């Protein structure tokens, strides 16, 4: 079975850093583009970042650009999100998601990891 | 990167049909054939229901269908069932980004 499992969430003060991880299993990790999607408490979904299957291209939402860095290790089947200069408004559940094969949609989601930024 | 526009809520009775709209621009919804829809029950992970405007992933009932006219995409759910009650989000490809709608709460009366 195909799985994505996030980890690394927690409570952090504004201005601090946190690194999220997403471990994949059950599929050929290096063949797929991956994204981070977040959801603030009681709010809707917000796309945050994407990385191509080979890591050669990365894109970010304006809200995280310059502060967050997406990366992947295809030898470890793991996706990362380095979050620096965290703000209260970054508080959310962070989901790791996979691009559907041959198209553009999120067909596989992790269970999410919660990040709380609080003074 | 403004969010796509969805109605806050829609409702329908069991067996009826409802349609949820998703309005963007020619730079996202109207410009690419990459509109997708997600269902999210409270406290659960989102689930892909429609991709490429109108395609259904394996396992999604054919009661769910998608379409697009101009800069507005639509999700139609026919034969409403109690379990369809959930939040629904559209999402569109845009150059160097992806854009979600604000979400629509579907209530099955």
């Amino acid at each position: 079975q195909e799985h994505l499992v996030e980890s690394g969430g927690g409570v952090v003060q504004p201005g601090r850093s946190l690194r999220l991880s997403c471990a994949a299993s059950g599929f050929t990790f290096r063949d797929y583009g991956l994204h981070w999607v977040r959801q603030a408490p009681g709010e809707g979904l917000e796309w945050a970042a994407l990385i191509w299957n080979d890591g050669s291209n990365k894109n970010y939402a304006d809200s995280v650009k310059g502060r967050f860095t997406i990366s992947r290790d295809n030898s470890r089947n793991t996706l990362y999100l380095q979050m620096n200069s965290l703000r209260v408004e970054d508080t959310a559940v962070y989901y790791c998601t996979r691009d559907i094969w041959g198209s553009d949609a999120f067909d596989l989601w992790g269970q999410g990891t919660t990040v709380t930024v609080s003074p | 990167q403004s969010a796509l526009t969805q109605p806050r809520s829609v409702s329908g009775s069991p067996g009826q049909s409802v349609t949820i709209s998703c309005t963007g621009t020619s730079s996202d919804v109207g410009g690419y054939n990459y509109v997708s829809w997600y269902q999210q029950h409270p406290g659960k992970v989102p689930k892909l229901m429609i991709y490429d405007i109108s395609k259904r992933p394996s396992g999604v009932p054919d009661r769910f269908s998608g379409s697009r006219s101009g800069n507005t995409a639509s999700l139609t759910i026919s034969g409403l069932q109690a379990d369809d009650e959930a939040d629904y989000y559209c999402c569109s490809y845009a150059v160097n980004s992806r854009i979600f709608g604000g979400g629509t709460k579907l209530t099955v009366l």
Side-chain angles (χ1 to χ4, degrees), chain B residues 38-87:
Chain B
Y38 302 85
Q39 176 192 65
Q40 186 179 34
H41 288 108
K44 301 298 185 181
V45 175
K47 175 186 177 183
L48 177 65
M49 305 302 285
I50 296 287
Y51 68 101
D52 290 0
I53 299 175
S54 60
K55 296 179 181 177
R56 278 187 309 276
S58 174
V60 173
D62 60 6
R63 301 186 297 106
F64 291 83
S65 62
S67 63
R68 182 186 63 184
S69 177
N71 296 333
T72 298
S74 298
L75 172 71
T76 298
I77 309 170
S78 59
L80 269 178
Q81 300 179 0
D83 189 54
D84 296 334
E85 185 162 295
D87 293 324

Side-chain angles (χ1 to χ4, degrees), chain A:
Chain A
Q1 274 195 335
E2 301 174 327
H3 289 290
L4 296 169
V5 179
E6 302 93 336
S7 60
V11 180
V12 63
Q13 292 180 325
R16 304 298 291 267
S17 299
L18 208 58
R19 188 177 85 153
L20 306 183
S21 299
C22 171
S25 61
F27 64 96
T28 306
F29 184 78
R30 64 179 180 273
D31 286 349
Y32 289 86
L34 298 167
H35 303 251
W36 287 98
V37 174
R38 66 183 185 179
Q39 186 169 32
E43 301 295 325
L45 301 172
E46 180 189 18
W47 173 82
L50 75 85
I51 186 168
W52 284 10
N53 64 313
D54 60 0
S56 62
N57 185 55
K58 306 173 185 180
N59 293 119
Y60 301 91
D62 288 345
S63 57
V64 307
K65 196 174 296 182
R67 301 186 300 120
F68 290 12
T69 301
I70 190 172
S71 62
R72 63 191 295 163
D73 185 340
N74 285 349
S75 67
R76 296 178 182 270
N77 290 353
T78 303
L79 174 72
Y80 303 100
L81 186 67
Q82 177 67 43
M83 303 186 295
N84 298 332
S85 303
L86 281 162
R87 304 168 179 168
V88 171
E89 54 265 35
D90 294 320
T91 295
V93 175
Y94 285 73
Y95 295 103
C96 165
T97 72
R98 184 185 75 177
D99 262 336
I100 195 169
W101 179 255
S103 188
D104 193 276
F106 311 121
D107 74 330
L108 183 65
W109 295 66
Q111 85 287 351
T113 188
T114 300
V115 173
T116 302
V117 185
S118 178

Side-chain angles (χ1 to χ4, degrees), chain B residues 25 31 36-37 54 69 74 88 106:
Chain B
T25 69
S36 51
W37 290 89
S54 60
S69 177
S74 298
Y88 291 84
L106 168 62

